[in-house]
Amino acid sequence: MKNLFTSEAVSEGHPDKLCDQISDAILDECLLQDVNSRCAVECFFSNELLVIGGEISTMAKINYEKIARDIIKNVGYDDSTIGVDYRTVEIIINISTQSPDISQGVDRVNEIGAGDQGMMFGFAINETESLMPYPIMIANDLVHIATKLRKKGIFKFAKPDMKSQVTIDYTNKANPRIDTILMSVQHDKNYDKNIFEKFIKDNIMKVIALRYNLNTDYSVLINPTGKFVIGGPKGDTGLTGRKIMVDTYGGFSRHGGGAFSGKDYTKVDRSASYMCRYAAKNIVAAGIADCIEIQVSYAIGVSKPIAIYFETFGTNKISNEVISNILKTEFDFSVGGLINYLDLKNVGYLRTSKYGHFGKKEFPWEKLDMNNKLIKYL
């Protein structure tokens, strides 16, 4: 019997990802003008209607409508008959200020308290160079390269809305294989199906499989409903924060349930998840474990976590007691500590809102700078 695991990803043209990008673009503009902005912005997108709502406390002057239209235009939506038109979409703004009941616990004189309660997870595994699981990395890369080729005009007939799904055969864990690749790609009404599908197989699927030095004899599914002309907000409603598995580990690791996009660095749903990934990645990179999942939990207004939990799935090279000590002494999970160490006031969050928050070297939570401190425990 095969041991199969599947993850999915979506392109920046997916309606949920449109909402994530608009939310994070607003956050970036707030932080650019006022680094102490407090922001929690979410979007709802359906047909030709975009609603931007949430709570923002900032000195910044934000043109919400321009930001939204610029994102929609950049993604490539200029036709309301197949998705949405950035020029004509109706936009409703419903923004209020952050509740004083929350701000009194977050903005303290001597320390920053958590912006909410909850639990967050971080994960790393040594099966890829990025220390991420194969399924989600491949799935994200598929829609990423497809979008790049579309924007360059190389991927004929393709439109912005895309989804991928990758099934990995882990029957032999020492030699994972691609079992199935599924791609659903929005296309022109008048397109050449054979040319379109051959391009996907040869210039997207095969290219990414070889990038990871994996097999190319996998099963292929392309637009299994037969066609995919209507997409974006016209084909499906979009919501900020609905693609939390796409954003993280593709279901390979657990998730605390809190979304990321549109939230500033005091919101531990986001910032503590980044710190957990940083700790997990450095522990695996140091050879302390082949795989580790870390959980932290917080109370609103309290700086330090209530609890830190981890699981190495039997891959640890040192005792659990020592790993527990490492997490408590070598990594600062206080809200202010992780903000400062990862420089979260100066991250371009729009970049995180498409093709995953983890596995990209450009982000500070992906840096590997703890080796000299961690190898002494081996």
Side-chain angles (χ1 to χ4, degrees):
M1 184 180 73
K2 288 185 177 181
N3 184 15
L4 304 175
F5 189 90
T6 303
S7 294
E8 72 160 347
V10 298
S11 72
E12 61 197 61
H14 187 280
D16 291 334
K17 276 292 146 196
L18 275 176
C19 291
D20 285 345
Q21 289 169 83
I22 293 167
S23 294
D24 273 335
I26 291 170
L27 169 64
D28 279 351
E29 186 60 29
C30 287
L31 294 176
L32 180 65
Q33 296 185 39
D34 177 6
V35 74
N36 295 312
S37 297
R38 297 293 177 258
C39 186
V41 176
E42 299 180 4
C43 299
F44 165 85
F45 213 150
S46 182
N47 291 308
E48 285 284 304
L49 173 66
L50 169 64
V51 179
I52 302 173
E55 301 80 42
I56 296 180
S57 295
T58 183
M59 299 296 290
K61 303 300 181 183
I62 306 299
N63 188 336
Y64 300 101
E65 184 171 326
K66 183 180 186 304
I67 290 172
R69 293 191 193 279
D70 285 348
I71 290 292
I72 300 165
K73 179 182 179 181
N74 182 64
V75 168
Y77 281 119
D78 57 5
D79 185 348
S80 60
T81 64
I82 63 167
V84 68
D85 189 331
Y86 72 92
R87 292 162 293 204
T88 59
V89 60
E90 180 185 359
I91 300 177
I92 297 175
I93 311 297
N94 186 16
I95 301 290
S96 59
T97 58
Q98 185 183 62
S99 165
D101 293 344
I102 296 175
S103 60
Q104 69 179 353
V106 174
D107 298 315
R108 295 178 174 178
V109 175
N110 296 320
E111 63 180 9
I112 298 176
D116 202 352
Q117 69 176 49
M119 63 282 191
M120 301 83 209
F121 287 89
F123 181 76
I125 187 169
N126 65 359
E127 66 181 35
T128 63
E129 182 182 351
S130 62
L131 304 184
M132 288 283 287
Y134 275 122
I136 187 62
M137 287 299 292
I138 296 173
N140 269 317
D141 282 356
L142 287 168
V143 287
H144 194 184
I145 190 175
T147 299
K148 284 184 175 180
L149 294 172
R150 173 185 65 81
K151 287 186 171 182
K152 290 180 179 179
I154 299 172
F155 187 6
K156 291 180 64 177
F157 313 115
K159 293 298 182 181
D161 199 352
M162 308 178 189
K163 297 180 75 171
S164 65
Q165 187 169 287
V166 176
T167 299
I168 298 292
D169 183 352
Y170 283 105
T171 305
N172 179 359
K173 291 187 177 181
N175 184 34
R177 292 173 52 83
I178 304 175
D179 183 84
T180 305
I181 297 180
L182 160 64
M183 290 195 73
S184 295
V185 180
Q186 185 187 14
H187 55 80
D188 289 333
K189 182 178 181 179
N190 299 312
Y191 80 120
D192 188 310
K193 185 173 185 289
N194 292 330
I195 292 176
F196 187 73
E197 293 189 355
K198 186 178 188 302
F199 185 91
I200 293 173
K201 292 175 184 177
D202 295 344
N203 297 280
I204 298 172
M205 293 181 176
K206 186 176 181 180
V207 168
I208 297 302
L210 293 176
R211 178 185 291 179
Y212 286 90
N213 296 314
L214 292 174
N215 58 296
T216 56
D217 58 343
Y218 40 77
S219 299
V220 172
L221 290 168
I222 298 174
N223 289 348
T225 65
K227 67 176 183 178
F228 184 7
V229 175
I230 298 173
K234 192 173 185 67
D236 192 10
T237 300
L239 289 170
T240 298
R242 188 154 56 179
K243 287 292 179 282
I244 57 176
M245 292 303 175
V246 172
D247 285 343
T248 54
Y249 308 100
F252 211 91
S253 171
R254 287 174 284 193
H255 194 293
F260 298 161
S261 289
K263 297 178 180 178
D264 71 76
Y265 49 80
T266 66
K267 311 297 191 295
V268 284
D269 284 341
R270 181 172 215 159
S271 57
S273 294
Y274 293 162
M275 190 64 181
C276 285
R277 164 63 179 172
Y278 170 73
K281 186 176 183 181
N282 275 272
I283 285 171
V284 170
I288 291 171
D290 295 335
C291 174
I292 190 169
E293 179 184 72
I294 300 169
Q295 183 206 55
V296 294
S297 58
Y298 292 84
I300 188 168
V302 179
S303 175
K304 294 184 178 180
I306 296 171
I308 302 176
Y309 169 86
F310 70 92
E311 173 61 66
T312 61
F313 309 95
T315 69
N316 50 304
K317 307 301 188 288
I318 59 178
S319 71
N320 285 337
E321 289 76 14
V322 175
I323 295 175
S324 179
N325 182 58
I326 289 172
L327 289 171
K328 292 176 181 177
T329 60
E330 300 292 352
F331 299 95
D332 187 354
F333 284 95
S334 69
V335 180
L338 64 88
I339 289 170
N340 290 333
Y341 189 78
L342 297 180
D343 196 22
L344 296 183
K345 294 183 179 182
N346 298 298
V347 173
Y349 289 102
L350 175 59
R351 296 176 299 160
T352 70
S353 62
K354 44 191 176 181
Y355 312 115
H357 291 242
F358 304 118
K360 304 174 185 176
K361 292 181 180 179
E362 63 189 286
F363 297 136
W365 48 89
E366 296 293 322
K367 61 185 176 182
L368 294 173
D369 60 354
M370 291 289 290
N371 194 62
N372 290 337
K373 290 185 177 181
L374 297 182
I375 58 174
K376 66 185 180 184
Y377 292 97
L378 292 170

